Amino acid sequence: MYQSALRCATSLIPQMLYGQYKKLIEESDVVLSLGGDNYSLDYGNPERFLAIGRYVKSLGKPFVIWGASIGPFNRRTESRMMMEHFRHDVDLICVRERESLDYLRSNGLNDKLVLMMDSAFSMAPESVSLSLPARYLAANFSSLMAKFVTGGDLSEWIKICREMCKVLHEKMNLPIVLVPHVDSDWDFMNENLRDLFREYNINLLRKSYNAAQLKWIISKSELLIACRTHATIAGFSSSVPTISLGYSIKAKGLNHLVYGHEKYMLYKDKIAADGLDKCVDSVLDHFDDVRESLKKFNIYVSEKNEELLNGIRKLCS
C-alpha cells in the first residue's frame, strides 16, 4: 500500500508543479530548461528539474537542457536515476564545458550531446556613467566559498580574502574594483573588507548594476580574479585575463574550455594568498598571449553558437 501511494504521489509531482504551464508548453515547438547548475548536487536534490522534463515529454514536446553543467553523481542510485532521465526524457543536452561533456559521454549519452557556450558569453555589455580609474584590477569575493574552501569556517575565508587583496595590491600596484555578482557578495565584501579600502586603494561597486553593466565594468579591467562563474565568464568573453577561484565541476570545465588547462585557476582548498601570488605571476608572464588566446576563443564561441542554433532548428522541424 505504501509503495503504491508513493508511486502515485511521485507521478503527480510534475502536474502539481508545472500544470499551470500546460497551455504554454502545448503551444511551444520546443521547451528549454535554463539554469547552469540545476542538474548537479551543488544546491540540493535536482528532482524538481527532472519533474519538468517528465511533464514536458508527457505532453509530447521536445525537451532541451540548455547551457548546463551536469554532475557528477557519485552514488550509484543517483547516477542511475539521472542517466535514465537524460536517456528517456531529454532530447538534447547542451552543456557549457568539457568536464560535463566528458562525464556524460562516459555514461553513453554521446548521441544527444552538444557543447555550447554559456549564454553569458554572448551577452552584450552595457556601458554605465561611472568614474573608474584609468587602469584597475577587478575582483569578486563571495561568502559562498567558505563552504568549499574552509569547510564552512567563514572567519578563515575572510582572512584568506583579505590576504589576497594584499597580494593584488603589492603585486600590481593598481586600484582594485570589487565587483558584487549578487547582493550577498556586496554585503560580504562591504562588511569584511571595508577597512582595507583606503590602505589598498579598493573601490566597491554599488549593488544596483545589472549583469550587462557589470560585464562592461569588468571588460575595462586589466585583470579579473573572481569566485562567481558568471563574473569569470564576463572576463573570458571580454578577453580580460581571468583567474578563477573555483569550487565545482563548472570551474574546471570552463577553464579547460577557455584556456585548455587549469593553470589560471585556484581550486577549493588550494585557494590561498601564496597560490594567487604565483597564479598572477603566471598570467603576467604570458599576458599578451593570454589576451590573444581569449580573442580567438571568442571567435570560436560565435561559430559554436551557430551550430547550436542549427540543432535547435532540427528539433523544431
Side-chain angles (χ1 to χ4, degrees):
M1 177 69 75
Y2 172 78
Q3 291 297 328
S4 297
L6 182 61
R7 283 195 296 271
C8 181
T10 301
S11 67
L12 289 174
I13 287 174
Q15 175 68 39
M16 293 164 60
L17 289 176
Y18 304 110
Q20 61 183 309
Y21 304 115
K22 181 178 180 181
K23 187 173 186 297
L24 287 172
I25 293 172
E26 289 178 338
E27 293 172 350
S28 301
D29 293 317
V30 62
V31 178
L32 277 61
S33 176
L34 310 179
D37 305 312
N38 294 341
Y39 297 88
S40 73
L41 299 176
D42 290 344
Y43 302 106
N45 190 301
E47 172 58 35
R48 64 191 183 281
F49 302 110
L50 276 61
I52 180 63
R54 290 193 290 263
Y55 184 63
V56 170
K57 293 309 293 180
S58 75
L59 298 177
K61 295 293 181 177
F63 184 67
V64 176
I65 295 175
W66 180 270
S69 292
I70 294 180
F73 307 102
N74 297 319
R75 292 200 306 222
R76 184 178 298 178
T77 52
E78 286 172 345
S79 179
R80 185 169 59 246
M81 175 185 70
M82 296 303 297
M83 297 309 150
E84 284 298 305
H85 175 68
F86 296 146
R87 288 188 185 97
H88 298 299
D89 302 320
V90 183
D91 296 277
L92 185 66
I93 306 173
C94 306
V95 293
R96 62 182 177 177
E97 32 72 20
R98 292 192 183 278
E99 291 285 319
S100 293
L101 187 76
D102 292 342
Y103 174 65
L104 293 173
R105 278 177 174 169
S106 71
N107 282 276
L109 289 165
N110 196 51
D111 62 326
K112 57 176 66 181
L113 286 176
V114 175
L115 179 64
M116 69 171 288
M117 304 302 116
D118 189 291
S119 300
F121 273 97
S122 301
M123 181 176 64
E126 178 186 338
S127 64
V128 294
S129 178
L130 175 66
S131 178
L132 289 166
R135 299 177 63 224
Y136 59 92
L137 310 177
N140 161 258
F141 300 111
S142 167
S143 60
L144 171 70
M145 296 297 290
K147 174 182 176 182
F148 304 97
V149 178
T150 61
D153 187 337
L154 186 60
S155 62
E156 182 61 23
W157 172 235
I158 292 168
K159 179 182 176 183
I160 292 171
C161 292
R162 294 170 66 88
E163 290 170 347
M164 288 193 289
C165 286
K166 181 180 180 181
V167 164
L168 293 174
H169 174 74
E170 293 178 348
K171 180 66 63 177
M172 298 193 67
N173 194 29
L174 287 174
I176 301 169
V177 174
L178 296 178
V179 180
H181 176 69
V182 297
D183 285 355
S184 62
D185 293 354
W186 190 95
D187 297 335
F188 173 74
M189 293 186 287
N190 182 60
E191 181 177 345
N192 300 296
L193 305 178
R194 175 162 285 281
D195 63 307
L196 304 178
F197 287 4
R198 183 182 297 274
E199 182 179 1
Y200 295 155
N201 196 4
I202 295 173
N203 302 278
L204 173 61
L205 296 176
R206 63 178 187 264
K207 292 181 179 182
S208 58
Y209 296 112
N210 63 36
Q213 291 168 336
L214 291 175
K215 182 172 182 175
W216 183 84
I217 293 167
I218 287 171
S219 75
K220 302 300 180 184
S221 67
E222 298 286 313
L223 179 73
L224 170 68
I225 296 89
C227 297
R228 296 284 187 176
T229 297
H230 284 96
T232 65
I233 290 174
F236 293 146
S237 59
S238 302
S239 301
V240 173
T242 297
I243 294 172
S244 304
L245 307 178
Y247 66 88
S248 70
I249 186 174
K250 61 189 173 186
K252 285 177 172 284
L254 281 168
N255 273 263
H256 276 284
L257 185 64
V258 173
Y259 290 130
H261 54 69
E262 298 177 23
K263 295 177 185 176
Y264 305 143
M265 179 185 71
L266 297 175
Y267 194 63
K268 287 188 179 179
D269 57 352
K270 303 298 183 185
I271 297 174
D274 59 345
L276 180 62
D277 192 316
K278 294 174 184 175
C279 207
V280 170
D281 278 342
S282 182
V283 171
L284 294 179
D285 286 345
H286 305 92
F287 194 81
D288 291 338
D289 290 339
V290 173
R291 272 198 179 277
E292 191 59 33
S293 71
L294 287 171
K295 289 177 182 177
K296 291 179 180 178
F297 178 77
N298 287 313
I299 294 172
Y300 167 76
V301 168
S302 298
E303 295 171 350
K304 291 300 293 184
N305 284 345
E306 186 57 36
E307 289 180 22
L308 180 61
L309 288 174
N310 289 334
I312 297 296
R313 290 185 187 108
K314 289 179 182 177
L315 278 181
C316 294
S317 61

